Amino acid sequence: MADDSANQIPPTDEINSMSINSQNDEGSSTSTPQMSVEEKFRLVRSIGEECIQEDELLNLLTKKPQPICYDGFEPSGRMHIAQGVMKAISVNKLTSAGCKVKIWVADWFAQLNNKMGGDLKKIQTVGRYLIEIWIAVGMRTERVEFLWSSEEINARADEYWPLVMDIARRNKLPRIMRCCQIMGRSEQDELTAAQILYPCMQCADIFFLKADICQLGMDQRKVNVLAREYCDDIKRKNKPIILSHHMLPGLQQGQEKMSKSDPSSAIYMEDEEAEVNVKIKKAYCPPKIVEGNPCLEYIKYIIFPWDKKFVVERSEANGGNKTFESYEELVADYEEGNLHPGDLKPSLSKAINKILQVIAISVLIKLVKVEFDIAQPCTICSLILCTWLKSTLSSLAHLE
């Protein structure tokens, strides 16, 4: 973050009060044992842009007190704000509804996909960093289990590899190729043999982890459907339920999703204040247009779930300051032209920077305490570590 804000490090209790962990609502409250099945269903269903199938989800929540949800990620470099904040919010909703969440740290998969130059040690370092970010964001981990693919597969290889082989044996190559999107690839790309193996392995993960629900992004939908098709092939009655969450678009016009190859397409968790300001200033934000407006999507999926409001600061001549208590209220003003992009963008930048500052400070304080055994780390220690962390991530970025 910028020097003027980083020099004002709030105490730990103040940091905790600003994380999503402190919010007392259905999306981030402490587990609620008295929640009805219908309430659990609404809460879990709210995570997904799509659910396959809703009746199966309701039946699962009715019959199983603690369903197992599968989520996963490749430790492949920098974490964008959607991955950092939206995932933590979704996981907290699932655990509040009584679910157990298994987060698959797909280090072997990142190696197969040639991330970080295929260097497994660097991949695992990034994985540990990303986990710390989620904890700093406010992800509650009482019902969360982080499982490293390399460790789990090696420990139960006799169970895992026959499953992968059976999935591969039952599917033609074109069907597997259609799943390439899960790796950030396309069917037209020149794929390695390892990348052909990847979808079969990810499909196997779902059964290997005994998942009832696959809670992944819309870009992972094809391999999750493959898992349901595999159930048909083996005459398995209980299919994994697919809960696909919304994917934030890139910040530039026409970008359907964020891209790590284009740093301007997204806000990253270690972005400094000035970087955030420039990215949002240049972001696509047409007046009175809501559909396909990335700035409004950031407000809907990041700012409101975190802060429960959106504050616009503007001159009296432009309408004066206004606090929006709901996204619908904001959209109404925007569509009518009562809220201009020139006022919305600076307010969005400020809200994002506030979130990133809280998370960065929380991570840094923990790192300083652990590495240097300091009970209350000073500002200068945190600033030094912040500079080192950003430098390290930047040096690894070219290997993504």
Side-chain angles (χ1 to χ4, degrees):
M1 308 308 295
D3 290 345
D4 57 344
S5 59
N7 281 330
Q8 300 171 357
I9 294 184
T12 305
D13 57 350
E14 185 177 340
I15 291 171
N16 290 337
S17 72
M18 291 187 285
S19 76
I20 59 169
N21 221 359
S22 68
Q23 305 298 332
N24 187 22
D25 70 355
E26 67 171 12
S28 54
S29 62
T30 307
S31 178
T32 314
Q34 70 272 20
M35 194 180 290
S36 68
V37 172
E38 291 73 18
E39 288 171 329
K40 288 181 180 180
F41 174 80
R42 286 196 299 270
L43 184 56
V44 173
R45 180 62 184 87
S46 70
I47 294 169
E49 184 172 288
E50 178 187 58
C51 178
I52 306 175
Q53 299 283 347
E54 288 189 350
D55 59 329
E56 294 176 15
L57 176 61
L58 182 59
N59 184 56
L60 172 69
L61 295 172
T62 301
K63 294 183 176 180
K64 191 169 183 177
Q66 192 177 60
I68 295 174
C69 300
Y70 152 70
D71 198 346
F73 69 100
E74 273 190 8
S76 58
R78 306 172 72 191
M79 176 188 277
H80 53 68
I81 194 170
Q83 185 182 18
V85 175
M86 287 176 65
K87 186 185 289 290
I89 292 169
S90 296
V91 167
N92 285 356
K93 285 185 176 184
L94 290 169
T95 56
S96 292
C99 299
K100 179 178 181 180
V101 180
K102 293 184 178 182
I103 298 182
W104 193 236
V105 189
D107 51 350
W108 265 8
F109 290 77
Q111 189 176 36
L112 282 172
N113 207 10
N114 203 33
K115 297 299 179 70
M116 312 304 293
D119 188 320
L120 189 60
K121 287 186 178 179
K122 289 180 179 177
I123 290 168
Q124 291 172 340
T125 297
V126 172
R128 289 189 291 271
Y129 160 71
L130 300 186
I131 291 170
E132 291 299 330
I133 291 291
W134 282 315
I135 292 171
V137 170
M139 181 187 287
R140 292 190 307 277
T141 57
E142 295 88 352
R143 290 179 177 172
V144 176
E145 192 175 6
F146 290 98
L147 300 170
W148 293 78
S149 65
S150 57
E151 295 177 0
E152 297 298 317
I153 293 172
N154 275 333
R156 295 159 55 198
D158 58 336
E159 179 183 347
Y160 186 80
W161 292 114
L163 184 56
V164 173
M165 291 168 63
D166 193 47
I167 292 168
R169 185 178 63 82
R170 291 174 182 271
N171 286 279
K172 304 296 183 183
L173 186 58
R175 178 65 184 91
I176 299 302
M177 293 281 286
R178 290 203 300 273
C179 294
C180 292
Q181 183 186 10
I182 67 174
M183 300 178 285
R185 314 286 177 178
S186 73
E187 294 180 52
Q188 286 71 43
D189 289 347
E190 186 175 351
L191 303 175
T192 65
Q195 289 166 331
I196 297 296
L197 182 62
Y198 189 119
C200 299
M201 290 175 64
Q202 184 168 326
C203 182
D205 294 341
I206 297 166
F207 304 100
F208 184 66
L209 297 173
K210 297 177 171 55
D212 300 302
I213 301 171
C214 299
Q215 199 285 294
L216 298 165
M218 286 295 293
D219 61 337
Q220 305 295 302
R221 183 183 187 278
K222 290 181 179 179
V223 76
N224 291 334
V225 171
L226 179 67
R228 288 178 64 88
E229 292 172 356
Y230 178 67
C231 289
D232 291 333
D233 289 340
I234 62 174
K235 306 296 188 292
R236 171 174 162 156
K237 183 178 179 182
N238 294 324
K239 301 178 182 180
I241 296 159
I242 303 173
L243 199 61
S244 303
H245 65 249
H246 179 73
M247 303 288 292
L248 279 187
L251 290 171
Q252 304 304 312
Q253 184 175 7
Q255 292 180 329
E256 292 186 2
K257 60 179 288 188
M258 294 170 283
S259 170
K260 290 183 179 180
S261 62
D262 180 8
S264 67
S265 71
I267 302 298
Y268 292 93
M269 299 301 287
E270 74 278 2
D271 276 352
E272 294 183 359
E273 183 176 344
E275 292 176 294
V276 172
N277 294 341
V278 169
K279 288 180 180 182
I280 296 300
K281 185 176 181 179
K282 293 181 177 180
Y284 178 63
C285 190
K288 300 184 181 182
I289 303 298
V290 174
E291 187 72 23
N293 189 324
C295 290
L296 292 179
E297 292 223 9
Y298 266 62
I299 295 169
K300 180 179 181 179
Y301 291 99
I302 302 294
I303 307 304
F304 270 110
W306 179 282
D307 222 15
K308 313 307 173 195
K309 63 181 183 295
F310 181 65
V311 180
V312 172
E313 297 180 355
R314 56 190 174 184
S315 66
E316 289 298 329
N318 290 332
N321 297 348
K322 183 169 182 177
T323 299
F324 293 94
E325 302 293 344
S326 72
Y327 180 70
E328 292 72 22
E329 180 189 5
L330 182 144
V331 165
D333 261 23
Y334 195 81
E335 286 182 321
E336 292 172 7
N338 296 328
L339 176 58
H340 191 271
D343 296 315
L344 181 142
K345 284 185 173 185
S347 300
L348 175 56
S349 295
K350 185 173 182 178
I352 291 172
N353 280 317
K354 174 186 172 183
I355 294 172
L356 295 185
Q357 182 190 35
V358 170
I359 296 167
I361 291 170
S362 180
V363 172
L364 294 172
I365 287 176
K366 180 174 181 180
L367 287 173
V368 171
K369 285 180 178 179
V370 171
E371 294 298 325
F372 303 104
D373 194 25
I374 300 173
Q376 291 296 328
C378 62
T379 299
I380 190 65
C381 290
S382 296
L383 289 176
I384 290 171
L385 192 53
C386 184
T387 302
W388 169 82
L389 183 60
K390 182 172 177 59
S391 173
T392 301
L393 287 169
S394 296
S395 69
L396 295 176
H398 73 283
L399 294 176
E400 295 175 9

